[in-house]
Amino acid sequence: MSTPFPFTAVVGQDDLRLALLLNAVSPAVGGVLVRGEKGTAKSTAVRALSALLPEVDVVSGCRFSCAPGSPDPACPDGPHAPGASGSRPARMVELPVGASEDRLVGALDIERALSEGVKAFEPGLLADAHRGILYVDEVNLLHDHLVDLLLDAAAMGASYVEREGVSVRHASRFLLVGTMNPEEGELRPQLLDRFGLTVEVAASREPDQRVEVVRRRLAYDDDPAGFAARWAGEEAAVRQRVVAARALLPSVRLGDGALRQIAATCAAFEVDGMRADIVMARTATALAAWAGRSDVLAEDVRQAALLALPHRRRRNPFDAPGLDEDKLDETLEEFGGQDPGDGDDDPDDPGPGGGPGGQPEPGDAPGGDGDTAARPEAGEGGEPRPSGAGEQSPVRAAEPFRAKVLSVPGLGEGAAGRRSRARTEHGRTTGARRPRGALTKLHLAATVRAAAPHQRARGRSGPGLVVRRDDLRQATREGREGNLVLFVVDASGSMAARQRMGAVKGAVLSLLLDAYQRRDKVGLVTFRGSAAEVALPPTSSVDAAAARLESLPTGGRTPLAAGLLRAHEVLRVERLRDPARRALVVVVTDGRATGGPEPVALASRAARLFAAEQVASVVVDCESGPVRLGLAGRLADELGGTAVTLDELRADSIAGLVKDVQRRAA
């Protein structure tokens, strides 16, 4: 087994180390979500945490890590006789993004269950992680059905495996730790709320600190065992401090004043539900225990708020995480009467990494003041400039709205999502087939029908059914898939009137929000002047798409053909990377084509490429005014898709009904 990088050797990242150690002191805090750019020691710090956790007492031979003093009465390996016990190191179990459902929850031998009535169960990762750490790297890329299973286990403290009426239950209480790069997409709100704390990490911009990071990493790579030995003393000191804090934790007093500050803070920031209050209370208590105190102070409440609230105040994926620290200080002062800045730790007290400074200063906590980047104000409305006009500054988007559903016709087989019909592992049962590989979803009626004609030949003499492997039938199911929604946005001079472009950006933001909720990938191609560009390659991050759209300048001619051809190339490359994911092309334009020789004819030929390949498409018609040329409708006909107006795109519009995208023969 390879030697892990020592936890105390991680340079900087005080907030990350503190959040992890608080969960080591009090697992009831609820885990940590680590958000940040790649290469910032997120995974290194998490993997090193398990070495600091105390050993776990377990029943000898129990695959589900039952505690000797209080074994699980429903344990599949039980009932357990008293006396036989041992101990083992705390486990850190890693859940791969591409893991199967059976690997996560365990597998039940259906053939033996039906023929012998035996619950032959092979435990999964949720059983391995019981009373330890479950680590999910790139948690935002985890498939929806695995997220649902994690939510159930985290909420109930148990895992259930159901196979056509045959069920197995076992305890599964774990510390959930996830890391993610926000550029690759956000988490579902339900899973986001299950993480007790969140930390934003970024690489240091201080040259001396960066030098030290490189020096330690090179030393570790040259001699992992020797490097770990040099940090053994610091590791032992932090481990002892964790044990001491755990012992002190039950005697820490959370007074009414601190509770009032916690409640007032959660109310002031308008977080949903009561989980934030509970997590803040547990975090503040753990902070006091970590500092060796038996009373919770205002500084503990402040630090707890900075760790527990930023991810709970997001209302949609376009909201920036973080807290307004001035508002936080005002709330704490109003309801506590204590200065939240007082009470710093002794500077000689070893911090989470064994160095000076103790806990990080409250001002160093992630989230900043929560302000988003300044957005340019929308200008006054006016007539569009001529198509040859120069570049204009970006226009602020109108308020997003709930958009009608656009879906790809037919039946796909892409990644699970919520947009278009597809054959999936989850959903309504539509039929049965012979299993390819391991059986995951049994079709009981089809299995019985397959086994019934052979009972006499198999010597059946009793009431039981003689079932063999060849009789088993896999249920085929229909659910929903996520698609690639590729936006092709006209940013030319003909679209440049400020009121008009603001409405267009608002419509695209609405579709981006819809794509986030339906677990799609998104991409953005823009065209203006004399060329088109890929403003955002296909990604799962709608935040990135929204940011690119917000800063989009306008002006110049309308190279519609160039925009369509660039979108066609993006789709060609993406099909090579992810052939199962079907695409939906959303062209946002008024249909005009100018610039270069024969611009209309070139645009028509480019559009017919999409029709020939039966790519699902929709044209959002941005033409306005009393006189309409209907150019967007003609473009939709050539694409083999359909056209909708901005008004028809609204879910509450009575002007028209947006139907599923219709593919037509070339």
Side-chain angles (χ1 to χ4, degrees):
M1 182 177 178
S2 60
T3 303
F5 193 91
F7 185 86
T8 51
V10 175
V11 179
Q13 307 298 8
D14 292 335
D15 296 317
L16 169 58
R17 292 184 293 154
L18 177 62
L20 292 171
L21 288 168
L22 291 178
N23 277 274
V25 171
S26 176
V29 166
V32 186
L33 174 64
V34 187
R35 297 163 46 94
E37 58 196 30
K38 51 189 175 291
T40 50
K42 300 189 299 292
S43 300
T44 299
V46 173
R47 292 189 174 102
L49 177 65
S50 60
L52 302 179
L53 299 180
E55 289 194 338
V56 178
D57 293 329
V58 296
V59 174
S60 298
C62 178
R63 298 174 296 168
F64 301 88
S65 302
C66 282
S70 56
D72 181 8
C75 176
D77 284 354
H80 297 298
S85 64
S87 62
R88 60 163 177 78
R91 291 176 182 159
M92 195 208 70
V93 177
E94 191 162 348
L95 172 61
V97 170
S100 66
E101 180 180 335
D102 283 349
R103 184 71 188 98
L104 178 62
V105 301
L108 191 64
D109 191 330
I110 299 297
E111 185 175 357
R112 291 188 63 189
L114 289 176
S115 59
E116 304 175 26
V118 175
K119 294 181 182 179
F121 182 70
E122 184 65 28
L125 296 177
L126 289 179
D128 293 342
H130 180 46
R131 304 175 69 200
I133 303 170
L134 181 61
Y135 171 48
V136 189
D137 194 13
E138 305 293 354
V139 64
N140 51 325
L141 303 182
L142 201 63
H143 289 303
D144 269 7
H145 67 285
L146 298 182
V147 170
D148 293 336
L149 293 170
L150 277 181
L151 288 173
D152 289 343
M156 298 183 293
S159 175
Y160 292 84
V161 183
E162 302 283 349
R163 292 290 187 271
E164 298 296 337
V166 180
S167 65
V168 172
R169 175 212 168 274
H170 63 83
S172 183
R173 291 181 293 275
F174 47 83
L175 172 60
L176 181 61
V177 180
T179 56
M180 60 175 282
N181 184 347
E183 294 179 356
E184 297 172 339
E186 286 292 343
L187 275 176
R188 284 171 54 182
Q190 297 95 325
L191 183 57
L192 194 62
D193 190 51
R194 287 294 176 187
F195 287 97
L197 310 179
T198 186
V199 177
E200 295 277 344
V201 297
S204 172
R205 299 299 183 257
E206 293 293 330
D208 291 343
Q209 195 171 71
R210 295 175 75 96
V211 166
E212 186 61 23
V213 170
V214 175
R215 182 181 290 119
R216 293 186 187 183
R217 186 70 211 190
L218 293 178
Y220 170 77
D221 291 341
D222 289 342
D223 182 11
F227 183 82
R230 290 195 294 275
W231 288 87
E234 288 82 351
E235 292 280 287
V238 175
R239 190 179 301 111
Q240 292 171 3
R241 188 174 175 185
V242 169
V243 173
R246 280 193 173 189
L248 178 61
L249 187 66
S251 61
V252 173
R253 190 180 71 88
L254 182 63
D256 291 342
L259 273 174
R260 187 172 177 80
Q261 286 182 317
I262 290 170
T265 301
C266 292
F269 286 99
E270 299 180 348
V271 295
D272 294 333
M274 295 297 298
R275 183 173 284 119
D277 303 63
I278 297 171
V279 171
M280 271 192 66
R282 289 171 174 167
T283 304
T285 304
L287 280 162
W290 176 251
R293 288 185 269 100
S294 57
D295 288 293
V296 173
L297 305 181
E299 65 192 69
D300 300 322
V301 176
R302 187 183 197 278
Q303 183 67 59
L306 292 171
L307 292 173
L309 297 188
H311 61 301
R312 292 187 164 90
R313 57 171 294 275
R314 288 171 63 99
R315 291 295 184 269
N316 65 63
F318 308 137
D319 290 339
L323 293 180
D324 183 337
E325 294 192 34
D326 291 337
K327 181 178 178 180
L328 174 60
D329 291 338
E330 291 173 3
T331 304
L332 293 175
E333 185 174 357
E334 178 183 356
F335 288 89
Q338 290 179 298
D339 181 3
D342 290 340
D344 290 337
D345 288 346
D346 185 343
D348 295 329
D349 183 29
Q359 300 177 23
E361 293 294 329
D364 295 335
D369 60 6
D371 290 339
T372 56
R375 304 171 74 179
E377 293 297 326
E380 303 248 342
E383 294 299 320
R385 295 187 182 184
S387 59
E391 180 178 307
Q392 301 180 33
S393 60
V395 178
R396 184 174 182 176
E399 194 68 24
F401 52 83
R402 188 166 65 89
K404 286 186 180 292
V405 180
L406 304 174
S407 62
V408 179
L411 196 63
E413 295 183 345
R418 299 192 185 97
R419 184 170 296 278
S420 305
R421 294 173 55 226
R423 298 183 186 90
T424 62
E425 287 294 319
H426 301 269
R428 63 185 183 90
T429 301
T430 58
R433 60 172 174 79
R434 290 181 180 272
R436 305 186 190 105
L439 179 72
T440 55
K441 298 291 183 181
L442 178 74
H443 195 296
L444 184 58
T447 299
V448 172
R449 285 197 300 269
H454 308 291
Q455 297 305 296
R456 182 174 295 179
R458 293 173 182 173
R460 172 187 170 188
S461 58
L465 187 67
V466 181
V467 179
R468 295 182 179 173
R469 175 68 186 175
D470 290 343
D471 301 327
L472 300 179
R473 294 295 182 268
Q474 174 86 21
T476 57
R477 301 183 178 227
E478 182 179 309
R480 293 279 169 176
E481 67 177 359
N483 298 115
L484 166 60
V485 182
L486 181 62
F487 294 93
V488 185
V489 180
D490 183 351
S492 64
S494 66
M495 299 279 290
R498 289 188 174 270
Q499 287 181 343
R500 185 177 178 188
M501 198 61 196
V504 168
K505 286 187 175 183
V508 177
L509 280 176
S510 304
L511 292 170
L512 283 171
L513 182 57
D514 182 68
Y516 164 76
Q517 293 168 340
R518 299 185 187 282
R519 311 297 288 172
D520 295 316
K521 292 180 70 174
V522 296
L524 178 63
V525 174
T526 64
F527 58 95
R528 66 183 182 88
S530 60
E533 66 171 340
V534 181
L536 183 71
T539 176
S540 297
S541 175
V542 297
D543 285 23
R548 302 293 172 86
L549 180 72
E550 190 69 22
S551 61
L552 177 66
T554 58
R557 295 186 178 275
T558 312
L560 178 57
L564 294 175
L565 290 174
R566 181 59 63 92
H568 186 269
E569 176 63 17
V570 169
L571 292 183
R572 184 190 68 81
V573 174
E574 194 63 19
R575 274 195 293 268
L576 297 176
R577 294 173 177 165
D578 191 357
R581 188 181 291 269
R582 298 187 294 164
L584 172 64
V585 177
V586 179
V587 185
V588 185
T589 182
D590 57 10
R592 290 180 173 84
T594 61
E598 300 183 345
V600 177
L602 285 174
S604 178
R605 286 200 292 271
R608 287 197 289 269
L609 291 175
F610 292 85
E613 296 176 3
Q614 295 187 321
V615 177
S617 61
V618 61
V619 178
V620 179
D621 185 358
C622 302
E623 193 173 25
S624 60
V627 179
R628 296 174 181 259
L629 302 178
L631 299 176
R634 296 179 204 170
L635 175 62
D637 290 339
E638 290 169 336
L639 285 167
T642 189
V644 297
T645 66
L646 289 174
D647 287 339
E648 292 172 337
L649 199 59
R650 292 178 178 269
D652 55 357
S653 172
I654 60 174
L657 176 65
V658 179
K659 299 179 180 179
D660 287 350
V661 180
Q662 300 296 316
R663 288 187 297 184
R664 304 177 184 179

